Amino acid sequence: MLTWHDRRMAFSSATPASSPVTAPDDSEVTWSVQQQLEFFRGEEFAGLVFAALGTSLGALSVLAEHHRPGAGVSVVVEATPSGGVPIHLGATTEDLGDAPEHVATLESGGDKVWMWLHPFDPRLPGLATASVPAQVERLWFPGQLVELETLAYRPLRRAVLMATADDGRSAYIKVLHRGAEELRTKHELLEAAGVPVPRLLAPLATPPSADLVATLPATGRSVAQALVDGEDNPVGATELLRVLEAFPPELLSMPRRVPWAERAHEHGQAAGVAFPQHAARIATLSSAIAHRIAAEPAGREVPTHGDLYEANVFVRAGAVTALLDLDSAGPGHRVDDLACFLAHLAVLPQLDDAYANVPAYLTSLVAPFERDAVAQGTTPAALWARTAGVVLSLVAGVADEAHADPERVAWQRIELAASLLDRAR
């Protein structure tokens, strides 16, 4: 079997540097997001892939699609040449400029596509290290690795893998486009302040790439799992607010990330692309949400988590045992953390009947969260408008989730966002 290195070299040589493709002038670009998605799903792309690989035509499957508003569409595909072994590739319409090493450029009617062999993502150099068991063993579990699983991968952005050793120990390895040192600093600041976060796992040797962050597993279980297990109140509002209040002021010096709710127009565009039959309704709703958010005060600036939802909060016996995914932690407004938590809870009953206890749990959080909004210098209306904005941001992702009827689920989320906006009024 070919090794990744062998495949990478063969793939690289299929795109000679002597035949560059000139990027079209912005005024000539007419490739809509929907057209990009259709291109990746069509026969032309499949033909270009196998031609670049220098193999006979075979089967091509799109494993994942990611639309980043304002940037482009990226996909992960599996190409299986006739009579050959499957090859995993990444491809994007996002402008990478001059093709980096080991990246092929394809052209379709004057538009460009960049393609690479997984795991050699041009914006995630650490992925090639984190995806190779021997490298992970050398850095974190010498001679003991029994499993290495990719949990999440967004081309050009980030990846998360789980490594498990033969003695049962495990670690999560996060591969970042940038900001790894900043993320380590956030972990250290929060831990020093008494905020429960996963412990960093230092490498035993210097990694080839600095953009890798490894952590030990969190204790307890996620709020999502606790709800599935039948708990009616996994963690109360008082405990959540206590932990958020303990965030250290040093986080205010970190870069500020735009909260989900303040990108209502972008998320509305993505949702309209994913579900074009609802595009008009979504556009009207996203404009109304953005207008309402702008009309309400955001409150005072405080250290925030930035992506607080039920899968990122681990609990045991009603106490928070860990907060995960600290990439967005930094200056912000408490109301956005609370809105994020409420919005993600609100869509859970659409996912599985096991979340039948969620509406009652969500209701128990409302009054304390509204009181905190007022104490932070904002309003309950702002809380609900921002909750509506976060729900809107979850519409486009329905297309990538395992739903028997994704259009129905998308419409439910659209209507939920609308009802939350009505509550803000």
Side-chain angles (χ1 to χ4, degrees), residues 25 121 131 223 269 425:
D25 182 83
D121 187 308
S131 299
V223 168
Q269 290 172 358
R425 296 183 176 123

Side-chain angles (χ1 to χ4, degrees), residues 50-413:
F50 288 109
L53 291 172
T55 64
S56 57
L57 288 175
L60 186 77
S61 300
V62 178
L63 304 180
E65 297 174 342
H66 300 280
H67 167 218
R68 183 168 178 256
V73 172
S74 299
V75 296
V76 179
V77 301
E78 180 179 85
T80 307
S82 180
V85 296
I87 299 171
H88 292 96
L89 304 145
T92 187
T93 59
E94 186 169 335
D95 189 353
L96 299 184
D98 294 334
E101 186 181 9
H102 306 306
V103 174
T105 54
L106 313 177
E107 184 176 3
S108 173
D111 295 299
K112 288 179 68 174
V113 172
W114 287 259
M115 187 170 68
W116 60 91
L117 197 67
H118 182 75
F120 301 97
D121 187 308
R123 295 268 175 88
L124 297 176
L127 187 59
T129 296
S131 299
V132 177
Q135 291 276 31
V136 174
E137 281 189 340
R138 181 178 69 86
L139 292 170
W140 291 288
F141 296 108
Q144 300 175 335
L145 196 67
V146 295
E147 186 176 10
L148 183 61
E149 179 185 4
T150 299
L151 302 180
Y153 173 45
R154 289 188 64 88
L156 309 176
R157 294 291 173 268
R158 67 197 295 268
V160 180
L161 298 94
M162 183 178 180
T164 304
D166 57 4
D167 61 0
R169 290 181 301 137
S170 60
Y172 294 93
I173 305 170
K174 184 171 288 189
V175 186
L176 302 172
H177 170 43
R178 59 175 177 268
E181 187 57 42
E182 177 185 295
L183 179 57
R184 282 188 283 268
T185 299
K186 291 176 182 179
H187 273 264
E188 292 166 354
L189 287 172
L190 285 161
E191 185 175 13
V195 177
V197 296
R199 292 183 57 192
L200 295 170
L201 181 62
L204 301 174
T206 302
S209 172
D211 295 322
L212 297 170
V213 177
T215 61
L216 296 173
T219 58
R221 56 183 170 165
S222 69
V223 168
Q225 186 60 53
L227 289 166
V228 169
D229 292 343
E231 285 197 33
D232 293 330
N233 186 15
V235 60
T238 299
E239 170 69 359
L240 277 172
L241 292 170
R242 180 193 67 79
V243 173
L244 292 175
E245 193 65 36
F247 273 39
E250 289 87 350
L251 287 177
L252 294 173
S253 64
M254 295 289 178
R256 183 181 187 272
R257 308 289 178 91
V258 179
W260 299 105
E262 290 183 10
R263 299 169 59 192
H265 282 300
E266 291 181 23
H267 294 303
Q269 290 172 358
V273 168
F275 299 95
Q277 65 273 40
H278 302 314
R281 166 72 163 145
I282 292 169
T284 300
L285 179 60
S286 63
S287 293
I289 290 173
H291 178 77
R292 187 62 182 174
I293 288 174
E296 297 291 335
R300 60 190 179 93
E301 186 177 76
V302 296
T304 60
H305 181 280
D307 198 17
L308 192 76
Y309 65 99
E310 74 287 337
N312 283 342
V313 181
F314 274 56
V315 296
R316 178 187 291 155
V320 175
T321 57
L323 296 181
L324 278 57
D325 284 350
L326 305 174
D327 307 61
S328 298
H333 304 287
R334 175 80 56 77
V335 68
D336 284 308
D337 274 349
L338 304 186
C340 190
F341 197 76
L342 291 175
H344 281 262
L345 284 176
V347 304
L348 287 180
Q350 302 168 357
L351 301 178
D352 198 293
D353 291 341
Y355 290 115
N357 53 348
V358 166
Y361 174 51
L362 193 153
T363 298
S364 73
L365 301 173
V366 169
F369 279 12
E370 287 185 339
R371 286 195 296 270
D372 188 76
V374 173
Q376 293 291 325
T378 182
T379 64
L383 173 64
W384 294 113
R386 289 172 182 265
T387 303
V390 179
V391 169
L392 180 65
S393 76
L394 300 174
V395 173
V398 171
D400 296 325
E401 298 169 0
H403 297 289
D405 188 353
E407 183 177 344
R408 178 183 61 83
V409 176
W411 183 251
Q412 288 176 335
R413 293 189 185 182

